[in-house]
Amino acid sequence: MSRLADLHDKWSREPDYREVYDRLGPEFELSRSLIEARTRAKLTQAELAERMHTTQSVIARLESGRNRPSTRTLEKIARATGTKLRISFDPA
């Protein structure tokens, strides 16, 4: 079975896939950042949820990209993971 990275490399050669992936890139980046913050803090989704006074399913939805977190939610995640929230605007 192919690894996910191998599949992504293969699919990236397809123009339709590349277009959608590029359009959704910022959402994937946010999801990846949320997961990295949680794993660096050595927390499970359930543990992070407990610290944030929410449920594991909410954390799963945030990490999957199905829900876009508010700034307030991002601040709660930062506090719960012992990180600092930084939002920036970079040149396109």
Side-chain angles (χ1 to χ4, degrees):
M1 182 157 80
S2 297
R3 291 180 2 173
L4 186 56
D6 294 335
L7 290 172
H8 172 68
D9 289 342
K10 176 183 173 185
W11 294 336
S12 290
R13 295 184 209 114
E14 299 292 328
D16 291 342
Y17 175 86
R18 189 81 225 163
E19 179 185 338
V20 171
Y21 184 83
D22 288 344
R23 187 169 16 100
L24 295 175
E27 292 180 39
F28 288 139
E29 193 172 318
L30 177 57
S31 293
R32 190 172 20 258
S33 294
L34 295 174
I35 294 166
E36 286 176 7
R38 178 178 58 77
T39 57
R40 271 196 315 266
K42 298 181 178 164
L43 297 171
T44 65
Q45 288 182 345
E47 291 167 335
L48 177 58
E50 185 176 324
R51 288 185 181 194
M52 293 176 58
H53 306 287
T54 190
T55 63
Q56 180 273 330
S57 61
V58 167
I59 302 302
R61 283 193 297 273
L62 290 169
E63 290 185 357
S64 74
R66 288 182 294 203
N67 287 16
R68 291 186 184 182
S70 67
T71 305
R72 180 171 290 177
T73 298
L74 292 173
E75 290 169 341
K76 287 180 181 180
I77 292 168
R79 276 193 306 276
T81 58
T83 58
K84 178 181 174 186
L85 176 62
R86 180 174 40 102
I87 298 173
S88 66
F89 294 93
D90 298 327

